[in-house]
Amino acid sequence: KRRGLGCVGTMARRYDSSTTTFSPEGRLHQVEYAIEAINNAGTAVGILAADGIVLAGEKQKSTSLLQPSKSSEKMYKLDDHVVTVVAGLTADANILINNARLQSQRYLYTYQEPMPVEQLVQRVCNYKQAYTQYGGLRPFGVAFLFAGWDEHHNYQLYMSDPSGNYSGWKATCIGQNNQAGKGLLKNEYEETATVSDALKLAAKVLQKTMDATSATAEKVEFMVLTKEGEKLVQRILPESETEKVLAEVAADASNEGDV
């Protein structure tokens, strides 16, 4: 019996260490472990509003001695019409972000028009999928929420994971406690919501998923993608506006408690 158990353990480890070998259950364990790494990362939220898109992220600061970053560690601009928020390993995300920027600019140079959002997402996902299929490589330990606008499908929100899969969403959540966040979005999301409403909902999701008792402007950040006339505007909210959104959410919660 002991020998039999040892054989089972050896078999499990064999499939455990390879990204290119399926286990007898039809699973790629290393890809699943990469997804698990994302589930331990800071939460990121994306919400599609009637007049724009809201992205929100939890800033994880390990110590107060750390110098504040000069740019966002969660939100990135890919092109004038596409932005993204990441959850997972930032170093892995940088490789894919640079690849996405290059793909977008090559398309613009070739066709003299912005790259359709879904086509850009698909190119990035094809690159990610290759790292699950060839030996000697490991999957990228990062998930993305892509937000963008194009003349084909207007505002769009996509989620991509380390396997190379992507899917379109009206509202979703990635990172730690994402199931609790998705549950809240499922109950409270409305397609007619404005950007202002979506900001409040994103703040509520972050408060529900974060380990801290309450979200503060130092721990969360918001980005808004809107259209002003023919121009697309990407804007990360300053701390003063972030505090205002969080205060409104706290006031609404206290009013509900009083009722």
Side-chain angles (χ1 to χ4, degrees), residues 84-139:
T84 187
V85 58
V86 305
L89 303 177
T90 305
D92 284 12
N94 288 336
I95 299 294
L96 293 167
I97 287 164
N98 288 338
N99 177 267
R101 288 169 173 167
L102 182 62
Q103 295 283 355
S104 188
Q105 293 306 305
R106 281 177 174 168
Y107 187 98
L108 179 64
Y109 179 79
T110 303
Y111 300 106
Q112 298 298 302
E113 65 178 26
M115 191 174 190
V117 178
E118 186 171 1
Q119 193 169 335
L120 176 58
V121 174
Q122 194 173 45
R123 292 278 181 88
V124 175
C125 290
N126 288 344
Y127 190 69
K128 291 171 78 174
Q129 190 276 334
Y131 276 69
T132 70
Q133 197 165 4
Y134 299 108
L137 306 175
R138 70 160 176 82

Side-chain angles (χ1 to χ4, degrees), residues 21 26 104 126 176-177 197:
T21 306
S104 188
N126 288 344
Q176 64 182 2
N177 299 327
D197 297 330

Side-chain angles (χ1 to χ4, degrees), residues 15-88:
Y15 299 111
D16 215 37
S17 60
S18 174
T19 59
T20 58
T21 306
F22 284 96
S23 73
E25 297 84 27
R27 297 160 60 184
L28 291 171
H29 289 287
Q30 286 298 315
V31 175
E32 292 181 14
Y33 296 158
I35 293 171
E36 191 60 34
I38 292 156
N39 291 337
N40 296 322
T43 310
V45 184
I47 301 175
L48 205 62
D51 55 344
I53 305 175
V54 170
L55 297 178
E58 175 190 353
K59 294 187 286 187
Q60 288 189 320
K61 195 172 180 181
S62 55
T63 171
S64 59
L65 298 176
L66 200 62
Q67 184 74 266
S69 176
K70 295 176 177 62
S71 60
S72 174
E73 295 179 358
K74 297 285 286 186
M75 318 281 186
Y76 297 87
K77 176 181 177 179
L78 302 181
D79 204 338
D80 289 339
H81 65 301
V82 190
V83 295
T84 187
V85 58
V86 305

Side-chain angles (χ1 to χ4, degrees), residues 143-195:
F144 292 91
L145 293 179
F146 296 96
W149 184 95
D150 62 41
E151 60 185 8
H152 306 288
H153 301 293
N154 298 321
Y155 292 112
Q156 298 156 72
L157 177 67
Y158 297 97
M159 187 273 287
S160 165
D161 67 27
S163 68
N165 285 327
Y166 76 91
S167 50
W169 293 80
K170 295 176 182 176
T172 191
C173 175
I174 56 176
Q176 64 182 2
N177 299 327
N178 63 81
Q179 292 301 323
K182 287 176 181 176
L184 182 61
L185 288 170
K186 187 175 181 180
N187 292 331
E188 300 199 17
Y189 173 74
E190 296 178 359
E191 292 186 33
T192 57
T194 63
V195 164

